């Protein structure tokens, strides 16, 4: 398996799909940062005295670029699918089996390769976004961000965060992209064709993202203490993207927060999805022939 992984790293340095993904990510990073900076400029032009708000800052870009269901995050699983399926179409997987490698080693090497592909790209993208925005608007772990909150289910302007929130959202992002990678590798190795894989992955990611928003909306008003609370709980337990799409707000301090309980629920949620997709894909891959 070590040799398979080394072969992947060697191929990755020369793979066209990976290079295209990086270039797209770099371009999107400049585009996203520029868009946020433009919002600030337009806000400044519309204000007589000062900026209405500082949208282009490091902490805001960190939170708003992590989701795999929007912006460049949605591109990553699509191109990972292209990369994985091409391994079958080019006969690389078949050659590895002929060379005497077991299907188990091959599948888990595909999964590990997918993790490397995903995290190299997402770290480059998010890192560049945060770096550029920090240069323009600084990075303040106690500063403001603009995102959806559970209590009002509306876009919050001027809500602050904390260093605890920063490391928790980064941890959440890591577990989410592990799940996304496991899901992408699962469908790519099951269908071995980009036709059905890409639509399924896009639909699932969009469904999870929209469901989190809908759950927040349904928790508003009179239903917030009863039905809404149950809906939010079910969404936290079953939706792997929930923690990236919606946060709680401490009313007394007006700070976004991810409680320890919700963090544990989220980590267990994504661990379960990752294990199910990985083991399910492995079992199916072992039983199917590779042409």
């Amino acid at each position: 398996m070590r040799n398979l992984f080394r072969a992947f790293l060697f191929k990755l340095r020369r793979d066209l799909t990976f290079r295209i993904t990086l270039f797209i990510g770099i371009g999107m990073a400049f585009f996203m940062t520029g868009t946020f900076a433009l919002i600030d400029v337009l806000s400044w032009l519309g204000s007589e005295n000062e900026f209405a708000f500082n949208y282009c800052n490091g902490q805001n870009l960190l939170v708003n670029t992590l989701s795999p269901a929007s912006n460049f995050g949605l591109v990553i699983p699509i191109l990972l699918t292209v990369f994985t399926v091409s391994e079958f179409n080019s006969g690389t997987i078949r050659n590895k089996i002929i060379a005497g490698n077991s299907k188990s080693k091959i599948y888990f090497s595909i999964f590990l390769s997918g993790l490397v592909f995903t995290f190299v790209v997402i770290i480059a993208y998010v890192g560049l976004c945060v770096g550029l925005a920090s240069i323009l608007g600084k990075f303040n772990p106690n500063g403001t961000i603009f995102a959806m909150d559970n209590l009002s289910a509306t876009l919050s302007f001027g809500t602050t965060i904390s260093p605890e929130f920063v490391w928790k959202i980064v941890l959440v992002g890591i577990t989410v992209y592990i799940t996304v990678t496991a899901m992408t590798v699962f469908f790519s190795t099951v269908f071995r064709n980009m036709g059905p894989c890409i639509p399924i992955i896009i639909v699932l990611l969009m469904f999870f993202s929209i469901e989190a928003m809908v759950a927040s909306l349904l928790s508003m008003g009179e239903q917030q203490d009863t039905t809404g609370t149950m809906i939010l709980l079910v969404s936290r337990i079953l939706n792997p993207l929930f923690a990236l799409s919606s946060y709680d707000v401490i009313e007394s301090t007006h700070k976004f927060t991810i409680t320890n309980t919700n963090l544990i629920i989220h980590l267990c949620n994504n661990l379960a999805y990752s294990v199910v997709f990985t083991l399910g894909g492995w079992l199916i891959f072992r039983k199917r022939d590779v042409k």
Side-chain angles (χ1 to χ4, degrees):
M1 187 170 175
R2 181 183 301 175
N3 292 333
L4 290 174
F5 191 64
R6 287 178 177 174
F8 158 76
L9 294 177
F10 179 81
K11 177 185 176 182
L12 190 65
R13 291 194 295 268
R14 294 162 174 77
D15 186 76
L16 183 60
T17 301
F18 180 70
R19 292 182 180 182
I20 292 174
T21 306
L22 279 180
F23 282 127
I24 293 175
I26 292 171
M28 282 292 295
F30 280 99
F31 175 77
M32 287 290 294
T33 307
T35 301
F36 285 15
L38 180 61
I39 293 174
D40 283 352
V41 171
L42 293 177
S43 175
W44 176 77
L45 292 176
S47 175
E48 295 182 357
N49 299 317
E50 58 182 354
F51 284 93
F53 49 83
N54 178 19
Y55 200 61
C56 185
N57 57 62
Q59 69 273 11
N60 195 44
L61 266 292
L62 173 64
V63 172
N64 283 282
T65 55
L66 276 177
S67 175
S70 62
N71 305 318
F72 183 64
L74 192 59
V75 176
I76 295 176
I78 294 175
L79 293 179
L80 177 58
T81 300
V82 175
F83 180 83
T84 305
V85 171
S86 67
E87 292 277 278
F88 289 92
N89 294 339
S90 64
T92 303
I93 301 297
R94 181 173 177 272
N95 291 337
K96 289 178 180 179
I97 294 175
I98 294 174
N101 296 292
S102 69
K103 287 186 175 181
S104 295
K105 289 182 178 180
I106 292 173
Y107 185 85
F108 286 109
S109 71
I110 293 173
F111 174 64
L112 291 177
S113 301
L115 287 177
V116 172
F117 183 101
T118 298
F119 280 101
V120 167
V121 174
I122 194 62
I123 289 173
Y125 168 66
V126 174
L128 186 55
C129 283
V130 173
L132 292 173
S134 297
I135 292 173
L136 297 174
K138 299 182 179 181
F139 185 97
N140 183 1
N142 293 296
T144 59
I145 65 170
F146 306 89
M148 183 74 70
D149 71 76
N150 282 338
L151 297 180
S152 65
T154 56
L155 190 65
S156 295
F157 290 90
T159 307
T160 59
I161 59 173
S162 65
E164 179 185 11
F165 178 87
V166 172
W167 73 258
K168 284 183 177 179
I169 198 66
V170 170
L171 180 59
V172 164
I174 291 172
T175 58
V176 163
Y177 278 98
I178 292 174
T179 298
V180 170
T181 301
M183 179 180 70
T184 302
V185 171
F186 171 82
F187 287 114
S188 298
T189 55
V190 168
F191 291 105
R192 303 175 186 180
N193 189 306
M194 288 177 281
C197 291
I198 293 176
I200 290 174
I201 292 169
I202 293 176
V203 168
L204 281 176
L205 291 176
M206 295 303 298
F207 169 78
F208 285 133
S209 181
I210 294 172
E211 191 280 333
M213 186 179 298
V214 171
S216 296
L217 291 172
L218 293 177
S219 70
M220 294 176 65
E222 297 178 356
Q223 301 299 319
Q224 188 170 9
D225 296 330
T226 54
T227 307
T229 301
M230 182 59 66
I231 291 173
L232 286 177
L233 178 60
V234 172
S235 185
R236 282 194 178 99
I237 294 174
L238 298 180
N239 189 338
L241 302 190
F242 184 86
L244 283 181
S245 304
S246 192
Y247 321 112
D248 293 315
V249 174
I250 303 174
E251 291 183 322
S252 59
T253 58
H254 204 52
K255 282 182 176 288
F256 277 123
T257 182
I258 299 175
T259 65
N260 291 332
T261 300
N262 290 339
L263 179 64
I264 292 173
I265 291 174
H266 172 78
L267 295 180
C268 292
N269 173 328
N270 275 271
L271 176 63
Y273 273 105
S274 298
V275 169
V276 169
F277 277 124
T278 302
L279 293 183
W282 168 62
L283 291 174
I284 294 173
F285 184 76
R286 285 181 61 194
K287 295 181 179 296
R288 288 184 60 186
D289 292 332
V290 177
K291 298 180 180 180

